[in-house]
Amino acid sequence: DIQMTQSPSTLSASVGDRVTITCRASQSISDWLAWYQQKPGKAPTLLIYKASTLGSGVPSRFSGSGSGTEFTLIISSLQPDDFATYYCQQYNTYPLTFGGGTKVDI
Amino acid sequence: EVQLVESGGGLIKPGRSLRLSCTGSGFNFGDYAMSWFRQAPGKGLEWVGFIRNNAYGGTTEYAASVKGRFTISRDDSKTIAYLQTNSLKTEDTAVYYCSAGTTGWYSDYWGQGTLVTVSS
């Protein structure tokens, strides 16, 4: 199975900050990577797919980049609604696997 | 408005079976692959499996941890996807989410989840 490793696991930030989350794959996954946001008690929502393509209705302050084994999710200017946990997920190979999550809090 | 609504969760004893349902609306259900994920209390997300749409044969893929015990099916006429869970174990305790995506590789839409608690 492909292991996905996110860093950091927790990130403290303030409104207006630029936030960077990293996701590393244990082997190359090309650009078959998605990012999700999850708020407490809620279902995940799709932010980005194919490493850098914004999901429908996702604000432009979110961006994704990377290919191969290293990927980043950037929030250019953190908004109050962005405090949540973020997960990366690879879909290069079954089983689909997730990173352990990055919690963004104040 | 796209909606996915899961039902069928609850408290169940180890070794028993449970069928979860996921009813979709607001999108062309038959065009989408339907997936199931789960999240144990306080833990991260885990893929359970998915079923392709009928244009791709309606075939299924499963995580190793559930293969042979869980079965995903769909009834496009009712816009429902099912997750049949057999031989449940305590480690299957989780919130189970269904989702829809054009390929099944990633999920555009998610349900609100249903809690399955496996305990004696």
Side-chain angles (χ1 to χ4, degrees):
Chain A
D1 298 0
I2 296 177
Q3 308 301 317
M4 306 300 293
T5 304
Q6 284 183 238
S7 59
S9 55
T10 306
L11 187 159
S12 295
S14 301
V15 173
D17 284 355
R18 178 183 175 89
V19 168
T20 301
I21 298 170
T22 298
C23 177
R24 289 187 173 87
S26 60
Q27 64 189 73
S28 177
I29 59 169
S30 185
D31 56 359
W32 303 119
L33 185 97
W35 289 96
Y36 299 92
Q37 178 192 69
Q38 186 179 33
K39 297 179 181 178
K42 301 293 187 183
T45 58
L46 178 68
L47 294 175
I48 286 169
Y49 62 95
K50 210 165 185 297
S52 61
T53 303
L54 225 55
S56 176
V58 175
S60 60
R61 62 181 179 274
F62 291 93
S63 64
S65 64
S67 67
T69 62
E70 188 151 341
F71 302 85
T72 57
L73 172 70
I74 292 175
I75 309 172
S76 60
S77 177
L78 197 67
Q79 299 302 301
D81 192 47
D82 301 337
F83 290 95
T85 300
Y86 294 84
Y87 293 94
C88 61
Q89 177 230 312
Q90 68 81 20
Y91 52 96
N92 181 77
T93 308
Y94 300 121
L96 309 183
T97 48
F98 288 86
T102 296
K103 184 178 180 181
V104 177
D105 60 18
I106 299 174
Chain B
E1 179 195 7
V2 171
Q3 276 200 310
L4 290 169
V5 179
E6 299 95 337
S7 60
L11 175 62
I12 190 148
K13 295 185 187 309
R16 305 292 288 270
S17 299
L18 200 62
R19 188 177 78 162
L20 307 182
S21 300
C22 170
T23 303
S25 61
F27 65 105
N28 198 341
F29 189 90
D31 287 347
Y32 282 73
M34 298 301 297
S35 300
W36 288 90
F37 297 83
R38 65 185 181 182
Q39 188 168 35
K43 302 296 186 183
L45 295 165
E46 179 186 11
W47 175 70
V48 171
F50 79 96
I51 184 167
R52 296 175 178 86
N53 64 21
N54 287 334
Y56 287 89
T59 53
T60 53
E61 305 286 346
Y62 296 99
S65 59
V66 306
K67 196 168 186 178
R69 298 189 300 125
F70 290 11
T71 302
I72 299 171
S73 59
R74 63 190 298 156
D75 184 338
D76 290 352
S77 68
K78 296 180 180 177
T79 67
I80 300 177
Y82 300 100
L83 178 66
Q84 177 68 42
T85 65
N86 299 332
S87 303
L88 282 162
K89 307 174 182 179
T90 55
E91 53 262 42
D92 294 319
T93 293
V95 174
Y96 284 73
Y97 295 102
C98 73
S99 69
T102 52
T103 61
W105 299 334
Y106 60 88
S107 295
D108 299 275
Y109 311 121
W110 292 70
Q112 84 288 351
T114 187
L115 176 63
V116 173
T117 303
V118 185
S119 174
S120 54

